[in-house]
Amino acid sequence: MERSINQMNPQPTSKHGRQWKNSLKQVNPFSDLLLDRKNHTSHPGNVKSIGVSNFSVKLLNNLLQHTTVVPAVNQVQLHPMLPQNDLLEFCNSKGIHLTAYMPLGRADSPFFTNDQVKAIADKNNTSVAQILLSWGVQRGTSVIPKSVKEERLKQNLTTITLSEEDFQALNNFHKQAGMHRQLMITPLYDQEKGTWMTWTHEQMGWNWDKDGNVLS
């Protein structure tokens, strides 16, 4: 945080995000993250809010037991294959805004070839990407899709209001066989061991198998 403030020379920071620590400690490893806004930085007043990333209900409960500062935002993987409904409900109850990274899954995600999703896009005269982003916004989350193409960047600024039928179809998409799973591919994830930055799925609070399928 100190380095970030100094690099901004310094200008007030609206939100400072923190991810989990790479640690196998059985005690709470997050107790130093959000203890107090004034103590979090040597520049009081520069940090208006603090966000976290990849925090499950388990980790948020752990964190909130050791701090009086509630994170403003939790940024996690969210899309119709991984809606994380329990996490959304929990964050809403605590006043934590949920932000979706990977709201389109990935470039080869099943959404872009799925007949049901394509039919919803055709019916609304828009793209699959716009349908997925609209679904994310309509359920009360913010979405941060990634693109390097100017045309797609402009398209990502536009969402539509889905009909209740289309909205519920996407809400239930993960209930189809083999569709309830995470889609991220990263060197930080060891699929063979089923660990994420040396953390097991159990420690992360993720009810997934080693292949990223959500266990019921």
Side-chain angles (χ1 to χ4, degrees):
M1 186 66 226
E2 178 78 17
R3 184 170 63 252
S4 298
I5 290 292
N6 290 333
Q7 288 175 345
M8 288 183 287
N9 193 26
Q11 296 295 324
T13 304
S14 60
K15 178 173 70 69
H16 180 61
R18 294 296 297 266
Q19 293 187 325
W20 64 78
K21 285 189 172 182
N22 183 14
S23 169
L24 288 176
K25 294 179 181 178
Q26 296 303 311
V27 296
N28 177 30
F30 306 109
S31 57
D32 66 329
L33 293 187
L34 304 174
L35 292 178
D36 189 290
R37 282 190 181 92
K38 292 182 179 179
N39 294 331
H40 194 76
T41 173
S42 60
H43 300 275
N46 281 285
V47 178
K48 297 180 180 179
S49 58
I50 299 173
V52 295
S53 182
N54 295 309
F55 273 49
S56 63
V57 172
K58 176 180 179 178
L59 294 186
L60 285 170
N61 268 323
N62 191 359
L63 176 64
L64 294 175
Q65 291 174 13
H66 294 80
T67 180
T68 59
V69 179
V70 178
V73 176
N74 184 20
Q75 186 181 123
V76 299
Q77 181 185 170
L78 288 176
H79 44 72
M81 291 181 67
L82 193 67
Q84 304 215 58
N85 294 319
D86 290 346
L87 179 61
L88 177 59
E89 181 179 355
F90 178 87
C91 286
N92 285 342
S93 72
K94 300 297 182 181
I96 302 171
H97 180 73
L98 207 56
T99 295
Y101 67 73
M102 289 183 65
L104 309 180
R106 56 182 189 240
D108 63 345
S109 67
F111 302 125
F112 298 101
T113 56
N114 182 270
D115 289 339
Q116 183 185 29
V117 180
K118 289 167 62 178
I120 294 174
D122 290 342
K123 182 171 68 173
N124 288 277
N125 195 30
T126 189
S127 67
V128 167
Q130 294 311 110
I131 291 297
L132 297 174
L133 297 178
S134 298
W135 172 80
V137 171
Q138 197 160 323
R139 69 199 296 251
T141 66
S142 52
V143 293
I144 46 175
K146 180 180 179 180
S147 180
V148 295
K149 296 184 178 180
E150 182 178 355
E151 181 180 355
R152 289 184 180 176
L153 289 171
K154 292 179 179 179
Q155 290 176 348
N156 290 341
L157 296 174
T158 304
T159 59
I160 65 171
T161 299
L162 298 168
S163 68
E164 184 64 18
E165 178 184 6
D166 293 341
F167 184 64
Q168 290 303 327
L170 293 171
N171 280 342
N172 294 320
F173 186 85
H174 69 286
K175 297 179 181 179
Q176 301 177 39
M179 289 297 183
H180 200 185
R181 56 191 172 91
Q182 75 90 17
L183 294 174
M184 179 177 287
I185 298 177
T186 170
L188 301 177
Y189 181 64
D190 189 328
Q191 184 171 332
E192 187 69 25
K193 296 180 180 179
T195 58
W196 195 285
M197 293 180 66
T198 74
W199 287 60
T200 66
H201 289 169
E202 182 180 0
Q203 288 172 318
M204 288 301 301
W206 293 339
N207 189 30
W208 304 348
D209 64 18
K210 289 186 178 181
D211 295 322
N213 297 299
V214 178
L215 302 172
S216 58

